[in-house]
Amino acid sequence: MAVNALRWRGVRLVGMVSTILLVSSTALVSAHQNINHTIIITPTTIEPIEVEDNILVKVVNFLWQFSASGYQHTWPDIKFGWRIIVGTIIGFLGAAFGTVGGVGGGGIFVPMLSLIIGFDAKSATAISKCMITGGAGATVFYNLKQKHPTLDLPVIDYDLALLFQPVLVLGISIGVVFNVIFADWMITVLLIIIFIGISTKAFSRGIDTWKKETIVKKEAARQSQLNGTERTEEAAYKPLPGAPTNGNHTTPRISDKNASLLENIHWKALGLLFIVWIIILVLEIAKNQTTTCSAEYWIFNLLQIPVALGVTTFQAVLLYKGKRVIASKGDQQTHWRVHQLILYCSCGIAAGMVGGLLGLGGGFILGPLFLELGIPPQVSSATATFAMTFSASMSVVEYYLLNRFPIPYTLYFVAVSTIAAFIGQHLVRKLIAILGRASLIIFILAGTVFVSAISLGSVGIAKTIGKIANQEYMGFENLCTYAG
């Protein structure tokens, strides 16, 4: 009970932080609009000393100026040199580790694209999302034939994806808008807070899993000595204490790790997820054909809500009634409660918003969340990447419509991340089979998130200091006048 209480406190903390940040930003914009209707700040109407005394007015003027903008995109020419060599190496490693951990690797891509290649921060964010899509797509293709480590099920949990993916895509649409509006320093603060917390929690989970694996390995070695047999690869996938089993509490055969592609895919769930993706994509394209902030613009935005929430709510109701289950948990089935389902769906929206805002995969939040639900690391990584593929590809389309990235450079780095994802998945699965340590995936996840927090945080702080020194505008951008 104590462990569950700690888990709930952690999940609630993430939700509270996200809510506070969003409410704060909304309140600031609302305050600015109210001030605009009541106060006109000109030399002829208000004395300078009165403006200096009004702290609220000073804060709002810092955060928002109607015609001011601190953004200009920088796209370097593509040419062979040390920059592209170093960028390729870092991008390859980031994609390999990021896709294995189920987090995409965007936290490594963005600093590389910004500091080494020379893109501005927001263009780097857009290209990063393209790289995440390439790596995630390759990982999903690799995982489609893979089986659950201990059960006769696909490694991708389609019911879990159906609960989170629609709201994740909805969150991405909101996050892309916030990416346009928020200043760089705001994004940096949000990133550091969330990523440090997630990496710490994931690392703690990895240590717990490592200890359980050690117990299992010692027991397997003792049984081998008693039986006079040698250890086989089946020990690598022997269920951990409290982990999913197949109902008979026997170790499954691991000889048939791959299944027929057609048999291993849940086509109804996949089709429903694809329909949601298509509908929201059409709404996004239609929205971008309208004038920003017009009535049609907001109608197309709002129509996404019933589509995403409708599918997620339908899946949540089936889980609540017991008509569907998260089968990847085996015997450790969850008796879903209403507040749990609402909280988890809110985390899905928050994950998408963070992904769209920071140019990172929603897996940075979904992966650790799935682990807290008791999902095995292999399934958690595969399912988070599966859901992330839909959301990341949605961001790619939106960024393309906003003209936020150059095609040649983007295609090159997408190819790099795709190849890296295939190689990373193959090598790590081999290591897990040899070492019997699925916790490697959790440590890779925690390490990738932590490195992302340090790299992105450092870059963001350095740029913020530079803008303060140059007295540049550091407030909200105006969505209605944004020109990309």
Side-chain angles (χ1 to χ4, degrees), residues 186-259:
M186 303 174 193
I187 295 176
T188 300
V189 171
L190 178 65
L191 181 147
I192 292 175
I193 293 174
I194 293 178
F195 280 21
I196 294 289
I198 289 176
S199 62
T200 302
K201 186 69 175 176
F203 186 76
S204 176
R205 163 68 69 169
I207 292 175
D208 291 340
T209 305
W210 180 280
K211 291 178 179 178
K212 291 179 180 179
E213 289 169 340
T214 301
I215 295 173
V216 171
K217 288 169 70 69
K218 288 181 178 179
E219 178 64 22
R222 189 178 68 83
Q223 291 293 334
S224 296
Q225 290 178 354
L226 291 176
N227 298 333
T229 60
E230 296 182 358
R231 178 185 177 274
T232 66
E233 281 192 1
E234 291 190 10
Y237 289 93
K238 186 174 181 180
L240 300 177
T245 63
N246 59 6
N248 298 322
H249 302 280
T250 59
T251 303
R253 293 181 295 107
I254 310 297
S255 56
D256 183 20
K257 291 304 295 178
N258 292 330

Side-chain angles (χ1 to χ4, degrees), residues 63-318:
L63 292 176
W64 183 280
Q65 296 177 22
F66 184 80
S67 60
S69 175
Y71 174 66
Q72 290 182 341
H73 73 65
T74 303
W75 294 354
D77 295 329
I78 184 169
K79 58 183 179 180
F80 183 79
W82 72 267
R83 291 181 182 274
I84 199 168
I85 293 175
V86 175
T88 299
I89 295 173
I90 295 176
F92 185 92
L93 295 175
F97 286 108
T99 53
V100 167
V103 295
I108 296 174
F109 299 152
V110 173
M112 177 271 291
L113 292 165
S114 180
L115 296 179
I116 297 175
I117 305 300
F119 286 99
D120 65 275
K122 293 190 175 182
S123 295
T125 295
I127 299 173
S128 165
K129 187 63 73 174
C130 296
M131 295 178 68
I132 291 171
T133 302
T139 302
V140 169
F141 181 78
Y142 180 89
N143 285 330
L144 284 178
K145 293 182 65 177
Q146 303 297 319
K147 301 292 288 184
H148 189 288
T150 60
L151 302 174
D152 187 20
L153 295 168
V155 73
I156 297 173
D157 191 322
Y158 291 91
D159 284 313
L160 190 62
L162 196 57
L163 179 65
F164 283 94
Q165 183 266 347
V167 289
L168 189 69
V169 173
L170 176 63
I172 283 288
S173 298
I174 301 172
V176 170
V177 173
F178 284 156
N179 178 265
V180 174
I181 296 175
F182 280 23
D184 290 340
W185 69 267
M186 303 174 193
I187 295 176
T188 300
V189 171
L190 178 65
L191 181 147
I192 292 175
I193 293 174
I194 293 178
F195 280 21
I196 294 289
I198 289 176
S199 62
T200 302
K201 186 69 175 176
F203 186 76
S204 176
R205 163 68 69 169
I207 292 175
D208 291 340
T209 305
W210 180 280
K211 291 178 179 178
K212 291 179 180 179
E213 289 169 340
T214 301
I215 295 173
V216 171
K217 288 169 70 69
K218 288 181 178 179
E219 178 64 22
R222 189 178 68 83
Q223 291 293 334
S224 296
Q225 290 178 354
L226 291 176
N227 298 333
T229 60
E230 296 182 358
R231 178 185 177 274
T232 66
E233 281 192 1
E234 291 190 10
Y237 289 93
K238 186 174 181 180
L240 300 177
T245 63
N246 59 6
N248 298 322
H249 302 280
T250 59
T251 303
R253 293 181 295 107
I254 310 297
S255 56
D256 183 20
K257 291 304 295 178
N258 292 330
S260 169
L261 182 63
L262 296 178
E263 296 176 357
N264 213 39
I265 296 176
H266 292 184
W267 292 100
K268 289 184 179 179
L270 181 61
L272 188 55
L273 292 172
F274 188 72
I275 289 172
V276 172
W277 185 88
I278 287 292
I279 293 174
I280 294 185
L281 176 60
V282 169
L283 291 173
E284 282 296 318
I285 294 175
K287 180 190 74 175
N288 281 277
Q289 302 303 315
T290 65
T291 302
T292 305
C293 293
S294 64
E296 294 82 2
Y297 176 90
W298 293 115
I299 288 174
F300 286 126
N301 266 321
L302 293 175
L303 284 176
Q304 298 178 28
I305 298 177
V307 174
L309 293 185
V311 175
T312 292
T313 301
F314 175 74
Q315 177 72 356
V317 170
L318 293 179

Side-chain angles (χ1 to χ4, degrees), residues 350-471:
M353 292 172 61
V354 172
L357 175 62
L358 306 179
L360 309 174
F364 273 95
I365 293 179
L366 285 189
L369 179 61
F370 291 166
L371 291 174
E372 290 300 312
L373 286 173
I375 307 298
Q378 298 97 317
V379 180
S380 172
S381 172
T383 307
T385 303
F386 176 71
M388 187 171 60
T389 303
F390 288 93
S391 60
S393 59
M394 181 69 65
S395 292
V396 169
V397 174
E398 295 188 45
Y399 283 134
Y400 175 77
L401 294 174
L402 289 171
N403 191 32
R404 292 292 287 273
F405 57 81
I407 301 299
Y409 249 129
T410 302
L411 290 177
Y412 171 76
F413 280 114
V414 166
V416 170
S417 62
T418 300
I419 295 171
F422 274 117
I423 296 176
Q425 288 291 324
H426 182 73
L427 292 180
V428 170
R429 287 189 180 277
K430 287 292 184 183
L431 281 175
I432 291 175
I434 293 172
L435 301 177
R437 298 281 188 181
S439 56
L440 287 174
I441 294 177
I442 306 178
F443 287 122
I444 290 173
L445 183 153
T448 304
V449 174
F450 182 76
V451 170
S452 299
I454 299 300
S455 59
L456 287 174
S458 300
V459 171
I461 291 172
K463 289 189 174 182
T464 300
I465 293 174
K467 285 191 173 185
I468 293 175
N470 296 329
Q471 296 183 341

